[in-house]
Amino acid sequence: MTVVQSDVVIVGAGPAGSSAAHYLAALGVHVVIMDKAIFPRDKICGDGLTPSAVNELSLMGINTDGWARNRGLQVVGGGHDIKMEWPEQRSFPNYGMCRSRVELDNDLLRHAENSGAQVYEGTTATSLITDFRDRVVGVKATRGKGKEAEEIEFHARLVIDAGGVAARLATSAGRAAIENRPMGVAARTYFTSPLADTEWMVSHLELWDGKPGESNLLPGYGWIFPLGNGIVNVGLGSVSSTKKATRLPYKQIFEAWTRNLPEEWGFTPENQQGPLRSAALPMAFNRKPLYEDGLLLTGDAAGLVSPYNGEGIAPALAAGRIIAQTYASASVRSTDHGFDLAMENYPAALKQQLGSYYMMGRAFVALIEHPEVMRLCTKYGLPRKRLMRVVHKLLSDGYERQGGDLTDRTLQLLTKLVPSA
Ligand SMILES: Cc1cc2nc3c(=O)[nH]c(=O)nc-3n(C[C@H](O)[C@H](O)[C@H](O)COP(=O)(O)OP(=O)(O)OC[C@H]3O[C@@H](n4cnc5c(N)ncnc54)[C@H](O)[C@@H]3O)c2cc1C
């Protein structure tokens, strides 16, 4: 058996793991990152990047030249079809992007590697290693398959579970998904489309099983995100205010919805690229504690997905930045107690940034999980321009946390009135 010693070991090389690996390595920390997959690998996702995600990518130093950009959101529902541009702001650019996860996640992992992270692909973490005090001190893993498989023990002062929604290590440490946190389920596929050059991320807030307004309203929302190379990512999702995700016949709903979309999109079986595949979205900090006894959770393993729009990439990237900063001050502590105290800054910083915002998001989900309520909000809300400016920034986490315009200050005030999630 091989033993690998490092300062930090990260399990999972999605956006959460690669961001943490990049920022830690850039600080000179000896960091190991492993993934069971060999990259490039696919991940079921809408591939949508809001301005907040674009900002995080630029902070990491990712070169996004040539990536598909978009100007804003096109929202369809309640008999309305409106376009809302991403505003130019102090903290966010006035454009979003789309990038297939096959490419995005590979770019991020290679970036972390170039920053100095040691990468182990095709390596599956199987269990945590704990010491006599039950403190996490490493991870057991298997690299390769069959007769070639090799057992490796990774020892480190900090172990990070960035293993996505399954959160295998967090679960084994007793950090189960919290009952009353929202859980989304979404499904997506790709189509070639004559409208793939659209400059908008299209959102359908109502799904009908026939002609809009004259047939049955189905629970959920749909999206069409342009990837810029003749391909669009098309999907739909639904959200439940508890961990019992809504069980819907996604395939049938998807077929009914796409059948009734304008023909110009070209959503025919011949144009479909790959099957419709679904996965869960854990929201609003659905696992806790985010740090304890040497084990830290990030990304989907920590339930960082936004309950407003299902966005998980931006918070995962941002968390990596916070992890590195926190670890830098913790690493100089000479006792485990001091280390743990300093590491408490990680949940504290995430709570400050997203706590009240996500708490409001839980109330939002409790409303919109009822399709009739969603329909009324859409019908009467969408034509109100001032309201929609607030909603636009709210849903995309695109508001300034300090200063800004009237919309930003309204949202700051609202979040101040709400306790943290
Ligand atoms: C249908 C759908 C659409 C979505 N659309 C969007 C969108 O448009 N925009 C957006 O921002 N977010 C979207 N999300 C959410 C987004 O995909 C996730 O929030 C994001 O991928 C979280 O990143 P992560 O790094 O935490 O986890 P992941 O990206 O899931 O990465 C986890 C990694 O861990 C690895 N792993 C797991 N277990 C082990 C193990 N035991 N050993 C080794 N490796 C392991 C996996 O192989 C994987 O590579 C969507 C989600 C779904 C399901």
Side-chain angles (χ1 to χ4, degrees), residues 42-49 70 97-101 104 186-190 201-202 221 223-227 231-236 277 279 281 309-313:
D42 195 12
K43 154 80 179 87
I44 303 167
C45 187
D47 306 331
L49 300 165
N70 53 70
M97 295 194 293
C98 293
R99 179 121 176 120
S100 81
R101 291 293 297 274
L104 176 76
R188 71 94 171 96
T189 183
Y190 294 96
M201 292 172 86
V202 185
Y221 59 91
W223 71 80
I224 306 165
F225 291 168
L227 284 162
I231 303 269
V232 289
N233 179 317
V234 189
L236 57 79
R277 294 175 65 206
L281 296 98
N309 62 356
E311 177 178 30
I313 298 169

Side-chain angles (χ1 to χ4, degrees), residues 82-284:
I82 64 162
K83 288 182 171 140
M84 294 182 289
E85 305 228 350
W86 302 115
E88 189 80 81
Q89 296 190 92
R90 207 178 63 218
S91 306
F92 310 106
N94 65 349
Y95 61 92
M97 295 194 293
C98 293
R99 179 121 176 120
S100 81
R101 291 293 297 274
V102 176
E103 293 166 301
L104 176 76
D105 290 20
N106 193 47
D107 295 337
L108 294 173
L109 180 59
R110 300 296 61 117
H111 191 65
E113 192 168 36
N114 289 336
S115 304
Q118 208 175 329
V119 178
Y120 286 78
E121 295 175 57
T123 306
T124 304
T126 49
S127 62
L128 289 169
I129 304 170
T130 50
D131 69 6
F132 64 97
R133 299 159 301 171
D134 264 353
R135 193 178 174 79
V136 175
V137 291
V139 173
K140 283 188 185 164
T142 310
R143 177 152 73 166
K145 286 196 178 127
K147 281 196 187 129
E148 307 288 300
E150 178 195 10
E151 299 298 315
I152 310 182
E153 279 198 3
F154 293 92
H155 294 194
R157 194 175 192 189
L158 179 67
V159 172
I160 299 181
D161 187 350
V165 64
R168 179 171 180 172
L169 299 180
T171 309
S172 74
R175 301 186 205 174
I178 302 171
E179 200 68 44
N180 67 355
R181 300 294 155 121
M183 182 69 85
V185 178
R188 71 94 171 96
T189 183
Y190 294 96
F191 283 92
T192 52
S193 168
L195 301 186
D197 288 336
T198 175
E199 293 177 288
W200 303 91
M201 292 172 86
V202 185
S203 257
H204 281 245
L205 301 186
E206 293 173 347
L207 306 178
W208 299 89
D209 66 358
K211 225 167 161 237
E214 294 172 20
S215 54
N216 295 315
L217 188 59
L218 305 166
Y221 59 91
W223 71 80
I224 306 165
F225 291 168
L227 284 162
N229 47 1
I231 303 269
V232 289
N233 179 317
V234 189
L236 57 79
S238 69
V239 65
S240 147
S241 53
T242 70
K243 82 169 189 183
K244 285 194 187 68
T246 330
R247 291 195 187 284
L248 295 175
Y250 289 96
K251 203 161 180 286
Q252 278 129 282
I253 298 181
F254 186 84
E255 275 164 13
W257 172 53
T258 46
R259 208 174 29 245
N260 289 295
L261 286 172
E263 258 176 45
E264 301 90 273
W265 283 109
F267 294 152
T268 57
E270 310 78 66
N271 291 343
Q272 189 170 337
Q273 307 290 309
L276 182 75
R277 294 175 65 206
S278 67
L281 296 98
M283 298 171 166

